[in-house]
Amino acid sequence: MTPAIELIGIDKRFGSVHANKDVSLAIGKGSIHGIIGENGAGKSTLMSILFGFYHADKGEIRVGGKPVKIKSSADAIAHGVGMVHQHFMLVEPFTVLENVVLGAEGAALIGPALARARAELEHLAHNYELDVDPDATIGELPVGLQQRVEILKALFKGAEVLILDEPTGVLTPDEADQLFRILGTLRDQGKTVILITHKLREIMAITDRVSVMRRGEMVGTKETKQTSVEELAEMMVGRRVLLRVEKGEANPGETVLEVKNLTWRDRKGTARVDNVSFNVRKGEIVGIAGVSGNGQSELLDVIAGIARATSGEIVFEGKSIGALADPRYLRREGVAHVPEDRQHRGLVNSFDASESSILGWHFEETLGRGFHLDRRAVVERCRHEMQDFDVRPADPYLKSAKFSGGNQQKIILAREISRDPDLLIVGQPTRGVDIGAIEFIHKRLIALRDQGKAILLVSVELDEIRSLSDRILVMFAGKIMGERDASADERELGLLMAGVAKEAA
Amino acid sequence: MAAPRSELPAWVDIGLIPLLNLAVALIVAGLVVVIIGENPLQALGIMLNGALGSFKGWSYLFYYTTNFTFTGLAVAVAFHAGLFNIGGEGQAYFAGLGAAIVGLNLEFLPWPIVIPLAVLASAGFGAFWAWVPGVLQAKRGSHIVITTIMFNFIAASLMVYLINNVFRPVGRMAVESREITGAYILNFRELGRLIGWKLPSTPLNPTIFLAFLAAWGVWYLLWRTKLGYEIRTVGANPEAAAYAGIDQARIITVSMAISGALAGLLSVNEVLGVQHRLLLEFAGGAGFVGIAVALMGRSHPVGIVLAAMLFGLLYQGGTELSFARPLISRDMIVVIQGLVILFMGALEYAFRPWMAALFFKPED
């Protein structure tokens, strides 16, 4: 049987970056094909070439055995290739129907297209179990349903091959399961699905075959049934990696941070952090799990002094800091903060690495007396931190933007950990970071814990929370749903993340 | 993965591209000169000769450079804080009030005391006129571009009123103050005469050294002080500034005040060094030229001094040209300057993609 899609010898450079090196790939019709690789391995580039966003320097694309030229996403759609992006391309104030029709209006008047779409949507919903109210406004739908609309959009335009780019990043485990069921139905009806992800578990759960990319090259393609998580991980990074973090028992000491009945309301008056209480002790890592957008970011902001609590109290080392909370005061008191969003907060892209490496700590007298900023001291300090944290390249004068995600994160961690804080607040320490750096970062966090420091960790990666934390709190809709210890069952945590409390009822 | 943004060798970025833009601007300006029936090469020759062909030409060039350096630095400091200060003109104009108040009322003091006081008053009045929009932006969210433009108009009206009704001596027809004799900065011709040198007449005076000092000061402030670090952080990434605990409202007001003080120093040159009296519109558009100077100089003090010299050349050469070729009027000179601003500022990145294609070194 001819494959649905064949990519032959695809080669693509962006300036000095060789994003795809002579990549070949065949995707069987009616299958779910996973593509995995670290960040920067070239999977998104490859799919962008297939979808017409980029143009390959060399190579050929065949759809259903026939060579085709795909110069734009319109060409791709015309050849039956549809894509569901990581960040949805939906118009929020529009209804589901209007979004589905977008780009396929067909005439100056929209009425006939909408009527046709309504009929087609019913048909699709019936065939693929893709139920969505066509008249609902996109902005009011949960993300899981928004994603469904993206899939409907592609199918409405006649997609036979569906590319999904990191589709589960924003979903609860439950929603992800639903998505997988839908993808299974699509396959059974003869559609072809390409799934880009860096989550090995998803690959194992639903794909038929899996291709691994590493540094722009295609390392290999396996039948999913005949491979294992360990083998795929090794193919991705080129060596065996520790998937579990090795750590000893925690020896928690006295309480460092105590949060009492903390509430934070946004401008509309919605409680984004809702009556939250917990504590963090010396020598332990407390993890806050939850699907992104359930108040974890706001909670971090309030504790770090960036936002002010609406009500409630924060006690740090016996002192109530609610009214005093500004980030500089907290840093002086011994609170370090690795922000969730390193690109927008953790560093300044246009600054030299050495300048980013003092962000938030530039008031220190060791970096220059009074008014003066001693550039030599700044650079020297940065050089030391870079050596200590194995930042590559170890060049304090290189622009912050030029480091890879993992190395940027190491610069930030080095900055915060080297200040010897009593409490470290960490948000998404390994988001968008390659596996090698993840391992390193996890080890440093454990080491800090073992020095008797208190760590508050927020992550949307449940695996990360489970492997690092000594205690796990689950947040949902601004509330703490419950506390579990590190050995908690994954399914139970997943239920809490979805807002289902076991003890309730 | 997204393509990394193309980076060019520094000499291309800050050397070749500006020169290329300048060349294109001159070519287009040349076409305009052809259209009105003059020989562009001849016109260029007259301009260059007018600015560079004599001591007098050079001295005027540097006199303009002094003004443009102050206003260029003013725009640059605000720009590093992420603020677009369009109000340099009004700030410089209003600063003249400070210079005149000190200069006219403290004449009994010896010049080594009254001149520094007048300089401080100029900076202070300029700073105040920029500080108010800064506070409005920081505390009330009024957009700095709008408020500084409005403050230009307010300054213009206020100064007309004050000069006409307060500073104009009784019985004098011209709308200007009496001569400032105490805070009188001698120009180089007058200084030369003191030691027996005969120099041609020139408006150039030691304020140019103040301009160079200010350029060094701005460099030091931005890259060697903690305040400068905070200013640049707020400008480059306000989110990161909030994370770092930098008080953004304070940075906005402080950097606007510094910006206004720099613009205000223009009145040291004009009021104390050249005109020796407070008169209407003495800033003469230098506040707006400062925007182009800062853009062209990439908001770096060295670039700003060089760009200020280039605009000094255009101003001086242009004046000579309009004398020599009546067909090319003052307005034509403004057109040519406008073209330079267009290509240097607004179309700054027009040639970047080609340069990127030319200078990329493929690796691995």
Side-chain angles (χ1 to χ4, degrees), chain A residues 75-92:
Chain A
D75 287 349
I77 291 165
H79 287 110
V81 178
M83 186 152 182
V84 175
H85 297 271
Q86 196 171 357
H87 304 287
F88 303 150
M89 311 270 176
L90 295 169
V91 187
E92 292 213 341

Side-chain angles (χ1 to χ4, degrees), chain B:
Chain B
M1 296 297 114
R5 199 167 155 274
S6 56
E7 288 279 342
L8 293 170
W11 67 271
V12 175
D13 207 22
I14 59 174
L16 190 60
I17 288 183
L19 282 179
L20 200 67
N21 285 336
L22 181 64
V24 175
L26 288 178
I27 289 168
V28 177
L31 289 176
V32 175
V33 171
V34 169
I35 290 168
I36 60 170
E38 285 282 353
N39 181 339
L41 286 177
Q42 230 171 34
L44 184 66
I46 294 170
M47 276 184 79
L48 289 178
N49 192 45
L52 308 174
S54 64
F55 177 85
K56 185 171 167 249
W58 278 97
S59 74
Y60 268 90
L61 188 161
F62 279 113
Y63 150 70
Y64 287 119
T65 301
T66 308
N67 283 348
F68 300 155
T69 301
F70 285 133
T71 53
L73 290 171
V75 174
V77 167
F79 197 68
H80 276 284
L83 301 164
F84 207 177
N85 179 9
I86 311 280
E89 184 78 6
Q91 289 142 23
Y93 199 6
F94 187 74
L97 197 57
I101 289 174
V102 171
L104 292 168
N105 292 302
L106 301 177
E107 280 171 316
F108 53 87
L109 291 170
W111 68 265
I113 296 175
V114 74
I115 289 179
L117 282 178
V119 170
L120 285 178
S122 300
F125 273 65
F128 173 76
W129 209 245
W131 175 79
V132 178
V135 171
L136 291 173
Q137 165 89 64
K139 306 285 184 197
R140 287 286 172 271
S142 319
H143 202 286
I144 207 95
V145 170
I146 308 293
T147 46
T148 51
I149 289 175
M150 306 236 262
F151 266 60
N152 285 339
F153 288 105
I154 299 173
S157 309
L158 185 68
M159 292 301 282
V160 170
Y161 174 83
L162 288 175
I163 295 171
N164 201 14
N165 294 287
V166 179
F167 286 91
R168 183 164 58 100
V170 178
R172 174 94 66 108
M173 287 301 289
V175 183
E176 57 187 37
S177 75
R178 70 177 169 81
E179 191 177 38
I180 296 169
T181 51
Y184 188 109
I185 298 176
L186 298 173
N187 65 34
F188 283 122
R189 177 189 167 92
E190 292 159 331
L191 284 171
R193 204 180 287 144
L194 291 180
I195 54 167
W197 287 3
K198 279 197 79 164
L199 297 175
S201 99
T202 171
L204 187 64
N205 64 75
T207 310
I208 190 167
F209 299 120
L210 183 65
F212 293 151
L213 187 70
W216 178 84
V218 165
W219 171 82
Y220 186 85
L221 168 74
L222 288 173
W223 283 282
R224 290 294 182 274
T225 69
K226 291 173 180 177
L227 177 64
Y229 179 83
E230 296 193 346
I231 289 174
R232 288 186 297 124
T233 305
V234 168
N237 188 342
E239 285 254 343
Y243 156 79
I246 295 168
D247 182 349
Q248 296 187 53
R250 181 179 149 261
I251 293 300
I252 288 172
T253 48
V254 167
S255 44
M256 277 307 284
I258 294 171
S259 174
L262 286 162
L265 292 176
L266 180 141
S267 69
V268 172
N269 194 33
E270 285 294 334
V271 175
L272 305 179
V274 179
Q275 308 291 350
H276 307 295
R277 60 181 60 98
L278 190 58
L279 73 175
L280 292 175
E281 298 293 343
F282 67 82
F288 297 115
V289 176
I291 297 168
V293 167
L295 276 173
M296 188 173 167
R298 297 295 170 95
S299 294
H300 191 285
V302 174
I304 286 168
V305 170
L306 293 175
M309 285 170 65
L310 175 71
F311 275 86
L313 186 154
L314 285 174
Y315 261 64
Q316 171 52 18
T319 311
E320 292 293 326
L321 182 59
S322 60
F323 282 139
R325 286 281 182 277
L327 259 182
I328 304 176
S329 68
R330 241 348 253 164
D331 300 325
M332 273 314 300
I333 306 304
V334 176
V335 169
I336 292 171
Q337 284 156 0
L339 284 167
V340 173
I341 294 172
L342 180 70
F343 281 97
M344 303 298 295
L347 300 178
E348 191 191 347
Y349 292 111
F351 300 109
R352 229 173 173 280
W354 298 338
M355 290 292 117
L358 220 72
F359 287 99
F360 250 133
K361 283 168 275 168
E363 282 163 32
D364 69 38

Side-chain angles (χ1 to χ4, degrees), chain A residues 338-347 412 427-428 431, chain B residues 239:
Chain A
V338 176
E340 286 188 309
D341 189 337
R342 81 177 151 263
Q343 293 284 348
H344 290 113
R345 276 198 173 165
L347 32 81
I412 296 169
Q428 320 297 351
R431 179 190 278 170
Chain B
E239 285 254 343

Side-chain angles (χ1 to χ4, degrees), chain A residues 356-405:
Chain A
S356 278
S357 77
I358 59 168
L359 186 69
W361 300 91
H362 57 277
F363 58 83
E364 288 182 325
E365 287 290 300
T366 52
L367 298 174
R369 282 162 182 261
F371 205 58
H372 182 70
L373 186 67
D374 183 351
R375 192 160 166 82
R376 197 170 299 163
V378 172
V379 169
E380 272 318 301
R381 179 162 190 143
C382 178
R383 212 186 287 281
H384 274 122
E385 287 174 7
M386 284 177 148
Q387 266 161 20
D388 190 18
F389 278 75
D390 190 29
V391 175
R392 287 178 227 180
D395 178 2
Y397 295 105
L398 195 65
K399 292 262 176 289
S400 308
K402 294 202 137 193
F403 290 87
S404 69

